[in-house]
Amino acid sequence: MQEIHEGQEGQKTGEEYQRSILDRISDFFIEVLVSLISTVKKGWREKNRSRVAEWKLMFYALNRSPPGVIGLFLVTIFVFLGIFGPFLAPYKYNYFPIFENGDTYLSPPGQFFPLGADHFGRDLVSLLLQGARTSLVISIIVIILGVPLGIVLGLVAGYFGGKIDELIMRITDMFLAFPPLILAIAFAAVLPERISYLINNNPLLQQLLLWLFALDTREAGNLSRLLAVMIAMAIVWWPGYARITRGSTLTERESLYVESARAIGLSSAKIMAKHILPNIIGPILVYVTLDFGSVVLTEAGLSFLGLGATPPIADWGRIVYDGSQFFPKAWWLIIFPGSIVLLDVLGWNLLGDSLRDVLDPKLRRSIEFKVKRKKGEKT
Amino acid sequence: MGTMLPAITGDTMNFDSGYSKSNSELLMVKNLKKYFPLKGLLFTKGYVKAVDNVSFEIKKGETFGLVGESGCGKTTVGRTILRLIEPTDGQILYDGRDITKFKKNDMDWFRRKAQIMFQDPYSSLNPRQTVFQIVMEPVNHHGIDVDDPERFVIDLLEKVGLNEGHLYRYPHEFSGGQRQRIALARILSLKPEFVVLDEPTSALDVSVQANILNTLKDIQKELNLTYLFISHDLAIVKYMSHRLGVMYLGKLVEVGNSERIFEEPLHPYTKALFSAIPIPDPEIEKRKDKLEVKGEPPSPINPPSGCRFHPRCPFAKEICGQKEPALEKVEKDHFVSCWLY
Amino acid sequence: MTDKVLEVKNLTVHFYTYAGVVKAIENVSFDVYRGETFALVGETGCGKSVTARALTQLIESPGRIVEGEVYYHKNGESVDLLKLEEEEIRKYRGKEIAYIFQDPQSSLDPLYSVGFQVSEALYAHNKVKSIKEGIRKAVDILRTVLMPDPEKRVSNYPHELSGGMKQRVTIGIGISNDPKILIADEPTTALDVTVQAQILNLIKEMKRKYGATVLLITHDMGVVADMADRVAVMYAGKIVELADVFSIFKEPIHPYTEGLLKAVPNPLIKIERLETIPGTVPSLINPPSGCRFNPRCPLASQICRAKIPELEEVKNGHYVACHNR
């Protein structure tokens, strides 16, 4: 029986590919990550050779799609600014130069500050950097609150089917029937009072939020509106995830490996968590990436409508809202934050679109082949 | 066509797989029924009688072949026996215990004893798990202690013709035949007694198929496994099984010793089926008389009255359309359900 | 038996994929004689279907017929089918050379009645003046392919018919223009054995009735034994052995043919153990040098790895591509 060795496949390592500079960079980062994990968990590298090779291939594929590279670049920058922005900012967001120098009032770019100032004389660069944090934290929290709820409901509905499916999906439909922005406006208008009570009674939560948004303790009173916006958005965000999760679950449920798991006696919960979820996470991840952009945009929209962040908290949407009163004189208050939102949303969308290709096994193979061909082809 | 066969000594079991040593029944299926409801807008419109009153038994250490064309219910039987599909009615006795009445704890016990290998190796393995995870999953789930998991999995892989180098690979890195071997290693990890093989080679090319079938035979001999071998390919069933059941439209029409049935098929459907398989030998194939049956299997939603085969049967009599024949014994270990006998 | 109807010379088809150039078939040459059933046998990916399709330029992008000639002989004249323009080859397809494909489900259009589809085939080659007349003729055609109740069935849509009946319709479309050559590409793979027997009989019947030549593509050695007069065994894009059906089964010469025949279980014989061929089919992007079977061959030697064996006649009408014979 030992003579059987069907197929010489399975020797896929990065070596057979013609790597570009980008590939080398991504390989380097992956290697660093793998070394880090390996020092914590002994033998991890040996056991996950195939997985690491897969990661590398995923990046090779991504590297071959220019929009994807641009998207990844933009997203990396915005995530970096989101984390370190408040520390990089030359001035604090709640420092008001206007009290010291009246001329800073709506001073144009280059006069006092490189990108000009707002009606409090605050440096626009600092505000934008601080706003990056606000935007990133809100997006992450909305996704963290909304997505798992949608995934769980979608999994349960798709896996069990029948009456449970009907019930969950009708509720989902109800939420989907409301225009999301209007629903969010309604929630954002009603929620803050209840939430301010909650925040005032939970100093720990208050400290956490202040730390997340990199705000001074002084701003504690303004937190409730930010939180209200996040909760409102999470509430309107999950139904989309319930939909796509249910759809993918329906197809995966029929696969033989699910039946094979049932044949060894696995419970429904385990089958969903260990077998179905890992196989449908790809499309969900794509959706999450694209949604990051939508959340940024919606949040900016809500702030522009006067909901959400209140001055002096820096928020891109809010800056545009405030600036709109002085337009067209203070054009920089509209153009710069607007462009920043544009770039951020564009980044997430470009990345999401090419992730869709990269995570789809069939499409990715075709991209991989492009990499291989350069070396293998002789004719 | 029986004349072509080499003489076979009576109906004694002369198999060399340790099969003749124990003749006790491991599995007894009694009047098994599985009806799938056809859902209308509000009410059930009717039933697909996928399996209707099927009874047979499988002895310890043997391979019981279940043959039939698509839609005859053979796959449903295989899954119902493992309760992957709940039976509508009937008893399934495993080691004398009725598994249809099992609750959670007993089911756990049964799941360790009985396993299934699927037809399509491209969808039966979770693409996100490594071979190691795939093979260890059943063991972990049942809380079985293994000293050295890696060694344990490597031993199993070697048993089915794979090797250590395959341990941390993913299914997509393997060919169809190798995937079936991984599936086999997973099944064997629980040291089962009984395995349902649901067309395990129908997605594979002949040369790979031969490999897998040989491995299955070797493993059976080594571990004294009992197989239920489901297939539409008579030649393979003949190669694999000791006893045989022929299904037509949810019914078992003939059961018995495989050699005997191949030597002398009794039911007209079995005869037609045997005569329809092309023999890979032109000297025989081009000269043999063929018993051609008319038409195609009717739908199991409204099966014909009486004997379900009668509209296509070249020997149909009046009674065949009126009354359903019972599965009757015609000789030792040979049962047929036909009014001709 | 010297009346050649089809002469295939050095047919080579490549597929230009991202992975590289897939050499699907290389230098395939064979002749088909008038009135015979010629079978192309082999396992998945050996190039048998590609060969069949290439005969009438039915290769779609990214595939391309790189080289070769396919001479079609009729009334003393011969045409190279591969040199014809799309317009001209269309006159041959369906009329002179008809196809029956594996999956009747997808070769019939679900939007039209089967009568219309038969009629359309007739109309395309000017056998009838109108579609309406064609539908009347379709009834006769469905009757010849032994469709039960043809008057009623003409107005049925494909989904209302069973698999066997659908395959009867595709055969009906195939024979509707009295083709000289009928190419049946795995015509019974999707069908059950009892239905397979019916369809195979029907093909034999049609062949007798219309005197057509049949080119049968299959992986099933049993079907070959039943149907074929001569057989070409293909492996990894090349013909490795070509002979009449009795010689192939009785005295196979190429080690691959031998292995293949031993791996197929014969239901009439008690087999203790099936023999197997070690290894798997090679990638056609970088096929093994020399004989493509050499990595799996028990007889492989130095020359097998170095030189590509040519298909040579070793006995009367028995061709083999192997250095060891």
Side-chain angles (χ1 to χ4, degrees):
Chain A
M1 253 158 52
Q2 301 307 333
E3 83 278 357
I4 305 144
H5 35 72
E6 302 144 9
Q8 282 81 43
E9 314 156 57
Q11 306 291 350
K12 284 193 193 111
T13 50
E15 279 80 59
E16 56 190 292
Y17 297 93
Q18 186 82 39
R19 295 183 303 165
S20 67
I21 298 167
L22 281 173
D23 297 339
R24 282 165 210 277
I25 296 171
S26 60
D27 277 3
F28 171 75
F29 279 112
I30 290 171
E31 282 303 326
V32 169
L33 185 68
V34 170
S35 312
L36 277 176
I37 302 176
S38 298
T39 45
V40 180
K41 269 172 106 177
K42 285 271 173 289
W44 191 91
R45 184 191 291 271
E46 284 67 39
K47 289 181 186 181
N48 291 278
R49 244 172 232 295
S50 288
R51 180 184 304 209
V52 173
E54 198 80 345
W55 287 352
K56 287 186 179 172
L57 288 180
M58 227 148 74
F59 273 96
Y60 293 177
L62 186 68
N63 290 345
R64 260 139 206 89
S65 116
V69 176
I70 296 170
L72 184 63
F73 179 69
L74 286 173
V75 164
T76 315
I77 287 183
F78 280 105
V79 170
F80 176 82
L81 292 182
I83 296 169
F84 301 104
F87 311 115
L88 296 174
Y91 305 94
K92 289 280 288 177
Y93 68 96
N94 51 3
Y95 162 64
F96 301 99
I98 196 170
F99 297 132
E100 293 154 22
N101 180 356
D103 290 345
T104 54
Y105 174 80
L106 291 181
S107 63
Q111 193 185 0
F112 291 97
F113 308 112
L115 293 183
D118 72 350
H119 57 295
F120 295 120
R122 292 185 292 175
D123 170 30
L124 190 54
V125 174
S126 306
L127 288 182
L128 291 177
L129 286 169
Q130 179 77 28
R133 169 66 77 95
T134 316
S135 164
L136 182 74
V137 170
I138 288 180
S139 317
I140 290 175
I141 291 181
V142 167
I143 299 278
I144 286 178
L145 289 179
V147 176
L149 179 68
I151 290 178
V152 169
L153 288 175
L155 267 176
V156 170
Y159 185 77
F160 290 107
K163 295 211 167 64
I164 298 174
D165 183 22
E166 281 295 316
L167 184 72
I168 293 177
M169 290 326 285
R170 291 304 79 79
I171 295 173
T172 311
D173 285 346
M174 266 162 54
F175 274 88
L176 281 172
F178 282 99
L181 200 64
I182 294 185
L183 203 61
I185 290 171
F187 279 120
V190 178
L191 284 172
E193 281 170 40
R194 293 169 185 278
I195 289 174
S196 70
Y197 180 76
L198 176 82
I199 293 177
N200 292 333
N201 286 306
N202 285 295
L204 215 64
L205 177 69
Q206 196 179 44
Q207 286 307 313
L208 177 74
L209 285 172
L210 287 174
W211 176 75
L212 278 176
F213 285 105
L215 296 176
D216 275 0
T217 331
R218 252 181 292 165
E219 256 72 65
N222 290 327
L223 278 176
S224 63
R225 297 191 57 170
L226 276 178
L227 195 59
V229 166
M230 290 191 282
I231 292 174
M233 282 166 67
I235 288 170
V236 296
W237 230 261
W238 67 265
Y241 287 89
R243 268 270 169 90
I244 57 157
T245 311
R246 174 181 173 269
S248 322
T249 308
L250 280 179
T251 37
E252 287 308 312
R253 181 181 71 171
E254 303 299 323
S255 350
L256 285 175
Y257 67 80
V258 170
E259 197 158 9
S260 157
R262 287 205 289 144
I264 60 166
L266 250 61
S267 63
S268 300
K270 266 194 182 169
I271 291 178
M272 280 190 263
K274 284 180 71 180
H275 290 275
I276 297 182
L277 188 58
N279 280 291
I280 59 172
I281 202 75
I284 295 177
L285 265 176
V286 171
Y287 210 71
V288 166
T289 315
L290 292 170
D291 252 8
F292 252 98
S294 317
V295 175
V296 168
L297 203 60
T298 312
E299 189 271 330
L302 286 173
S303 302
F304 180 77
L305 293 173
L307 303 151
T310 36
I313 297 175
D315 180 290
W316 297 336
R318 186 72 199 197
I319 299 171
V320 176
Y321 170 67
D322 291 339
S324 67
Q325 299 163 26
F326 309 104
F327 192 76
K329 191 186 150 229
W331 53 267
W332 54 92
L333 288 180
I334 309 267
I335 300 297
F336 294 125
S339 315
I340 292 289
V341 172
L342 173 83
L343 286 176
D344 194 358
V345 175
L346 186 73
W348 286 108
N349 281 342
L350 288 177
L351 181 66
D353 266 338
S354 44
L355 271 187
R356 193 201 309 275
D357 299 349
V358 170
L359 292 176
D360 179 330
K362 275 186 209 144
L363 277 168
R364 196 181 74 218
R365 295 271 173 262
S366 71
I367 301 172
E368 268 171 37
F369 288 148
K370 276 189 204 160
V371 191
K372 255 186 179 174
R373 185 170 54 162
K374 282 185 189 129
K375 200 179 170 191
E377 187 156 7
K378 278 168 192 133
T379 42
Chain B
M1 55 179 279
T3 50
M4 295 302 170
L5 286 162
I8 283 156
T9 48
D11 53 7
T12 48
M13 317 272 187
N14 51 351
F15 298 107
D16 48 7
S17 60
Y19 159 66
S20 50
K21 282 178 225 149
S22 55
N23 263 348
S24 59
E25 278 86 18
L26 181 70
L27 185 87
M28 283 174 81
V29 176
K30 286 183 184 167
N31 302 324
L32 186 69
K33 285 187 188 132
K34 178 65 203 180
Y35 296 171
F36 292 102
L38 279 172
K39 291 250 169 65
L41 201 59
L42 283 174
F43 303 101
T44 303
K45 280 196 294 194
Y47 292 95
V48 179
K49 296 180 177 173
V51 179
D52 204 0
N53 253 329
V54 164
S55 305
F56 61 91
E57 70 241 1
I58 304 178
K59 297 194 178 76
K60 243 192 182 92
E62 77 171 354
T63 301
F64 184 86
L66 204 53
V67 217
E69 296 177 281
S70 53
C72 73
K74 54 187 193 301
T75 298
T76 312
V77 168
R79 293 186 188 197
T80 318
I81 286 175
L82 297 183
R83 276 187 64 189
L84 291 172
I85 301 176
E86 292 298 323
T88 308
D89 195 24
Q91 282 182 305
I92 302 160
L93 301 176
Y94 184 86
D95 247 355
R97 303 171 65 189
D98 189 352
I99 68 151
T100 59
K101 302 208 165 56
F102 276 5
K103 294 279 183 299
K104 174 118 192 7
N105 281 353
D106 289 323
M107 263 331 270
D108 272 348
W109 168 82
F110 179 63
R111 293 259 178 257
R112 285 176 63 166
K113 301 279 177 187
Q115 277 299 317
I116 180 165
M117 184 165 172
F118 294 101
Q119 168 177 5
D120 181 7
Y122 294 93
S123 100
S124 64
L125 304 176
N126 185 345
R128 301 278 165 186
Q129 287 184 323
T130 59
V131 173
F132 177 76
Q133 288 169 321
I134 289 170
V135 178
M136 277 305 283
E137 189 176 52
V139 178
N140 289 338
H141 174 70
H142 287 283
I144 299 165
D145 262 340
V146 179
D147 289 341
D148 180 357
E150 264 185 28
R151 193 67 249 160
F152 175 78
V153 176
I154 292 167
D155 286 346
L156 279 169
L157 290 181
E158 281 170 357
K159 193 172 260 161
V160 298
L162 297 169
N163 61 52
E164 202 177 332
H166 297 130
L167 204 54
Y168 294 110
R169 297 261 179 81
Y170 287 88
H172 70 86
E173 300 173 59
F174 296 91
S175 67
Q178 286 175 316
R179 286 180 200 216
Q180 282 304 49
R181 289 172 193 280
I182 298 169
L184 188 59
R186 173 183 166 98
I187 289 164
L188 296 179
S189 70
L190 285 176
K191 302 192 176 64
E193 296 170 343
F194 174 64
V195 181
V196 174
L197 303 165
D198 186 4
E199 308 234 20
T201 59
S202 66
L204 308 174
D205 267 326
V206 275
S207 61
V208 182
Q209 162 177 293
N211 258 327
I212 297 284
L213 293 180
N214 285 342
T215 308
L216 285 170
K217 274 194 146 185
D218 293 341
I219 299 267
Q220 176 174 42
K221 221 181 279 182
E222 195 183 326
L223 305 174
N224 194 25
L225 292 178
T226 308
Y227 286 154
L228 171 63
F229 190 89
I230 299 170
S231 179
H232 68 279
D233 188 331
L234 280 164
I236 297 173
V237 170
K238 157 132 182 173
Y239 176 60
M240 292 298 290
S241 45
H242 308 107
R243 288 173 67 249
L244 177 65
V246 181
M247 279 190 81
Y248 182 74
L249 219 59
K251 291 266 182 196
L252 212 48
V253 295
E254 190 162 355
V255 192
N257 180 303
S258 160
E259 295 286 342
R260 268 306 286 161
I261 295 183
F262 270 91
E263 196 177 8
E264 198 185 341
L266 293 178
H267 197 282
Y269 177 66
T270 318
K271 285 183 184 168
L273 204 58
F274 282 24
S275 125
I277 20 167
I279 309 296
D281 184 345
E283 310 258 355
I284 300 167
E285 181 59 27
K286 287 201 193 297
R287 289 177 183 84
K288 83 175 180 199
D289 298 327
K290 284 176 189 156
L291 175 73
E292 194 177 312
V293 292
K294 303 164 284 200
E296 289 171 55
S299 134
I301 299 168
N302 285 309
S305 61
C307 170
R308 292 189 176 181
F309 188 58
H310 88 266
R312 299 175 73 195
C313 183
F315 312 109
K317 299 185 290 188
E318 203 179 327
I319 188 169
C320 300
Q322 292 156 357
K323 243 181 116 193
E324 205 176 303
L327 198 62
E328 307 247 16
K329 187 170 184 171
V330 281
E331 59 182 321
K332 185 172 179 269
D333 196 21
H334 195 166
F335 301 80
V336 66
S337 141
C338 179
W339 289 114
L340 293 174
Y341 303 96
Chain C
M1 283 275 278
T2 47
D3 187 9
K4 288 175 191 167
V5 64
L6 211 55
E7 227 176 309
V8 181
K9 281 183 182 166
N10 296 329
L11 190 60
T12 303
V13 176
H14 288 176
F15 283 82
Y16 297 86
T17 66
Y18 288 124
V21 183
V22 178
K23 291 139 194 139
I25 54 172
E26 282 221 301
N27 286 327
V28 167
S29 307
F30 58 93
D31 300 333
V32 181
Y33 300 122
R34 199 173 302 281
E36 74 169 347
T37 299
F38 185 85
L40 280 174
V41 212
E43 296 184 281
T44 314
C46 71
K48 53 191 194 298
S49 284
V50 174
T51 309
R53 280 163 199 255
L55 297 181
T56 62
Q57 302 185 22
L58 273 179
I59 298 289
E60 285 182 12
S61 175
R64 212 168 68 215
I65 300 167
V66 178
E67 202 195 324
E69 290 122 51
V70 175
Y71 290 107
Y72 174 67
H73 300 284
K74 190 191 172 190
N75 307 331
E77 287 171 41
S78 60
V79 216
D80 184 352
L81 295 179
L82 301 185
K83 294 268 183 316
L84 297 179
E85 293 296 314
E86 180 62 25
E87 283 293 301
E88 293 169 287
I89 188 85
R90 227 178 268 157
K91 289 181 198 140
Y92 286 85
R93 270 186 225 143
K95 194 175 178 198
E96 306 282 337
I97 301 175
Y99 284 89
I100 303 168
F101 291 114
Q102 170 176 352
D103 186 8
Q105 182 71 43
S106 54
S107 48
L108 291 175
D109 188 331
L111 292 178
Y112 296 98
S113 71
V114 296
F116 181 86
Q117 298 188 44
V118 176
S119 165
E120 208 182 17
L122 291 165
Y123 187 65
H125 293 287
N126 304 319
K127 289 268 173 174
V128 289
K129 288 193 187 65
S130 69
I131 290 283
K132 230 176 184 171
E133 189 197 335
I135 290 180
R136 274 196 298 279
K137 256 196 116 176
V139 178
D140 298 332
I141 287 167
L142 291 185
R143 192 173 289 122
T144 26
V145 294
L146 307 176
M147 173 79 90
D149 230 353
E151 289 84 359
K152 258 172 78 187
R153 292 295 179 199
V154 270
S155 48
N156 277 164
Y157 288 85
H159 70 93
E160 297 172 290
L161 305 178
S162 66
M165 284 200 244
K166 270 183 264 191
Q167 199 57 299
R168 283 177 196 277
V169 174
T170 56
I171 293 176
I173 292 173
I175 60 158
S176 61
N177 290 299
D178 302 334
K180 301 292 171 292
I181 301 175
L182 194 60
I183 299 179
D185 188 355
E186 305 257 11
T188 57
T189 307
L191 305 175
D192 276 323
V193 268
T194 54
V195 184
Q196 161 170 297
Q198 296 167 6
I199 296 294
L200 292 180
N201 261 355
L202 179 65
I203 293 175
K204 280 189 215 162
E205 184 74 28
M206 293 299 112
K207 191 187 150 200
R208 212 180 49 231
K209 215 165 179 173
Y210 297 97
T213 309
V214 176
L215 182 60
L216 179 73
I217 320 297
T218 183
H219 69 278
D220 188 328
M221 294 311 270
V223 173
V224 174
D226 185 11
M227 302 287 290
D229 297 313
R230 289 193 312 133
V231 184
V233 181
M234 291 188 74
Y235 179 78
K238 285 186 158 287
I239 292 183
V240 294
E241 187 161 5
L242 192 159
D244 72 280
V245 67
F246 295 101
S247 320
I248 285 273
F249 279 86
K250 214 169 174 185
E251 35 203 37
I253 295 178
H254 197 282
Y256 174 67
T257 317
E258 217 174 330
L260 193 62
L261 284 169
K262 279 182 183 157
V264 183
N266 182 337
L268 294 186
I269 301 167
K270 184 167 169 58
I271 309 159
E272 278 309 324
R273 198 166 176 80
L274 287 171
E275 292 195 34
T276 61
I277 308 172
T280 38
V281 180
S283 140
L284 293 180
I285 295 170
N286 288 311
S289 61
C291 172
R292 290 185 177 184
F293 188 59
N294 86 64
R296 304 175 71 187
C297 184
L299 305 172
S301 59
Q302 199 57 48
I303 184 163
C304 300
R305 284 180 279 274
K307 203 173 154 232
I308 300 172
E310 296 295 321
L311 197 64
E312 280 165 7
E313 189 164 13
V314 285
K315 276 183 228 161
N316 193 20
H318 198 144
Y319 297 81
V320 181
C322 181
H323 291 302
N324 290 302
R325 314 283 164 152

